[in-house]
Amino acid sequence: MRRGLVIGNWKMNINWHSAIALVDGIVADMPAVNADLVVCPPYLYIPEVSARITDTRLICGSQNIAAHAEGAYTGEISGSMLREFDCKYAIVGHSEHRKYYADDNVVVAKRYRQAIASGIVPILSTGDSLAQRKQGTTFEVVAKQIEDVIDIAGIDSFHHAVISYEPLWAIGTGRTATGEQAQEVLEFIRRLIDSKSPEIAEKIQILYGGSVKPENAKNLLAMPDIDGVLVGGASLDTDSFLKIYSSFQN
Ligand code: PGA
């Protein structure tokens, strides 16, 4: 049985004051659910968030990680820096980063590799565009996003990784994939991993992301291959975020 996982990606939202209120609210009301709950604040807020969640069940992650260990990479944050502030997870290859900063599969793989080298669990983000879905190339696109990482980091690294599928047409659009649409792709991802390592396929957590809300979380989490969700907009509200987390209960 794989453990459930809910990741809150705050993206570049909320000010300092609201960030503190949000994290304190989550900790105060966090129900006893047998799943892990992670928040990924903007880098600047990570030290404060980490300090506030020490000795709680809430976990801190980051929205990205540098592709290099150290050096002249202006604006980047390394895995060892994230570790200093107790970040346990790092999202790599989010579609917004692929789109606005031109991260290709190779750069994503290097970020992923740095996470592994730093003892941080990478959340390898994959996804198709609406055009790709219409062309019927969803599986091909997602397979390439994963295989390019396997080529560079090796399949064994997936013992310590999470994969998420976040269709671009569902992110921030209010248009969620149905449980069946998400399941179809997540099952495909698990089969792809199974073809390289049945052991990893059995245990790797695979998440769905894209307009996850309290109203649709239960249905998504009921699917056999959906081990958790990556939440953007709804993670900025304590109540919505905790309702999504509570969807694991029954
Ligand atoms: P959203 O973001 O929940 O706001 O659609 C999800 C994501 O970025 O994967």
Side-chain angles (χ1 to χ4, degrees):
M1 187 65 189
R2 292 178 293 270
R3 191 167 166 81
L5 180 61
V6 174
I7 310 282
N9 176 9
W10 295 0
K11 308 192 180 182
M12 198 177 71
N13 290 302
I14 67 174
N15 63 21
W16 174 252
H17 195 74
S18 310
I20 289 172
L22 178 56
V23 77
D24 286 352
I26 296 169
V27 167
D29 293 335
M30 197 171 155
V33 172
N34 192 19
D36 290 323
L37 189 63
V38 180
V39 288
C40 299
Y43 285 136
L44 263 180
Y45 301 165
I46 286 177
E48 180 70 22
V49 167
S50 272
R52 283 177 181 263
I53 65 178
T54 310
D55 300 326
T56 75
R57 286 179 296 119
L58 188 60
I59 298 168
C60 188
S62 90
Q63 298 176 17
N64 206 353
I65 181 170
H68 305 274
E70 64 179 339
Y73 300 101
T74 303
E76 294 285 324
I77 302 286
S78 72
S80 63
M81 292 169 184
L82 293 170
R83 272 302 295 267
E84 279 187 90
F85 292 99
D86 218 21
C87 273
K88 303 270 193 311
Y89 292 87
I91 299 170
V92 297
H94 191 281
S95 62
E96 285 149 17
H97 222 270
R98 291 181 192 260
K99 180 174 167 194
Y100 301 126
Y101 305 97
D103 273 17
D104 59 16
N105 288 351
V106 173
V107 173
V108 171
K110 288 182 177 168
R111 293 186 190 279
Y112 171 103
R113 199 171 52 182
Q114 278 303 317
I116 297 282
S118 313
I120 291 173
V121 176
I123 301 163
L124 173 60
S125 199
T126 69
D128 55 338
S129 66
L130 190 57
Q132 289 163 335
R133 175 156 282 261
K134 284 185 175 157
Q135 284 157 12
T137 55
T138 296
F139 290 160
E140 210 177 294
V141 168
V142 170
K144 178 98 175 103
Q145 288 169 336
I146 296 170
E147 272 163 355
D148 282 358
V149 173
I150 295 175
D151 283 350
I152 289 177
I155 186 66
D156 283 346
S157 67
F158 282 78
H159 275 293
H160 311 287
V162 171
I163 301 175
S164 72
Y165 168 62
E166 298 144 66
L168 276 65
W169 44 271
I171 295 179
T173 58
R175 180 175 167 184
T176 325
T178 62
E180 288 72 22
Q181 278 174 323
Q183 166 61 24
E184 190 185 27
V185 182
L186 268 65
E187 190 185 339
F188 168 79
I189 292 174
R190 204 175 299 282
R191 270 194 278 115
L192 175 75
I193 300 294
D194 186 69
S195 69
K196 327 254 176 207
S197 164
E199 189 198 344
I200 296 174
E202 184 60 35
K203 71 171 216 186
I204 192 165
Q205 293 162 306
I206 311 182
L207 316 179
Y208 166 79
S211 296
V212 176
K213 305 273 179 288
E215 300 76 42
N216 56 28
K218 211 167 244 174
N219 179 42
L220 288 162
L221 291 169
M223 296 292 148
D225 283 295
I226 304 184
D227 302 315
V229 284
L230 194 148
V231 188
S235 73
L236 298 170
D237 178 80
T238 309
D239 197 44
S240 299
F241 191 49
L242 290 180
K243 275 194 183 129
I244 292 169
Y245 180 55
S246 303
S247 304
F248 278 105
Q249 266 164 341
N250 315 310

